[in-house]
C-alpha cells in the first residue's frame, strides 16, 4: 500500500512562487520514482516533473523548465516542487504521483495523492 499526501497549493499573482510538498508512505519502497502532474480545467493531465529519489536524471515539462525545481527531503519519501515565476497558465490542480519506474510514472500508471490547487491570477 502506497499513500501519498500532497500539500502547499494556493493562490498567487503572476511572477510569484509556491512550494508543493508530497510525503509518501511506502513500506516496501515499491515506488521510487516520484513527481507531479497537473490538470487544468478542460485540459488533459500532464506530467510536470519527476525523478528517482535516489538520484539520476530529472524530467521537466518544457513549459516549466527554468522555473520549477523538484527536489527531495532528507529521506527518500518527501519531495518538493518549488515553483517560481508562476504564470496564469500554471493554474491547475497538481497531483503528486509515485511509481516503480519512470515509464510507469509518465504513463500515469503509478500511485496518486489527492490534488492541491494552484491558482495564478492578478
Amino acid at each position: 500500500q502506497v499513500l501519498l499526501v500532497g500539500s502547499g497549493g494556493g493562490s498567487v499573482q503572476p511572477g510569484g512562487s509556491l512550494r508543493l510538498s508530497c510525503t509518501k508512505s511506502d513500506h516496501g519502497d515499491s515506488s521510487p520514482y516520484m513527481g507531479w502532474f497537473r490538470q487544468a480545467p478542460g485540459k488533459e493531465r500532464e506530467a510536470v516533473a519527476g525523478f528517482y529519489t535516489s538520484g539520476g536524471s530529472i524530467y521537466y515539462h518544457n513549459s516549466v523548465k527554468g522555473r520549477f525545481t523538484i527536489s527531495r527531503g532528507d529521506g527518500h519519501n518527501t519531495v518538493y516542487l518549488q515553483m517560481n515565476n508562476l504564470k496564469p497558465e500554471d493554474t491547475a490542480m497538481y497531483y503528486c504521483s509515485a511509481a516503480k519506474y519512470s515509464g510507469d510514472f509518465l504513463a500515469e500508471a503509478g500511485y496518486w495523492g489527492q490534488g492541491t490547487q494552484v491558482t495564478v491570477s492578478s
Side-chain angles (χ1 to χ4, degrees), residues 81-92:
L81 185 67
Q82 178 66 42
M83 306 184 293
N84 297 329
N85 190 22
L86 282 160
K87 303 177 180 180
E89 51 264 42
D90 295 317
T91 295

Side-chain angles (χ1 to χ4, degrees), residues 7-29:
S7 63
S11 296
V12 295
Q13 293 185 341
S17 298
L18 285 172
R19 190 176 81 156
L20 306 183
S21 299
C22 176
T23 299
K24 177 183 69 172
S25 295
D26 180 4
H27 298 294
D29 194 24

Side-chain angles (χ1 to χ4, degrees), residues 40-90:
K43 294 187 176 181
E44 293 187 355
R45 187 162 54 191
E46 61 185 13
V48 176
F51 68 155
Y52 286 105
T53 55
S54 59
S57 62
I58 299 175
Y59 168 85
Y60 288 109
H61 191 278
N62 282 338
S63 66
V64 307
K65 287 181 179 177
R67 300 188 298 122
F68 291 12
T69 303
I70 190 170
S71 62
R72 66 170 177 85
D74 290 338
H76 289 197
N77 288 333
T78 299
V79 296
Y80 305 102
L81 185 67
Q82 178 66 42
M83 306 184 293
N84 297 329
N85 190 22
L86 282 160
K87 303 177 180 180
E89 51 264 42
D90 295 317

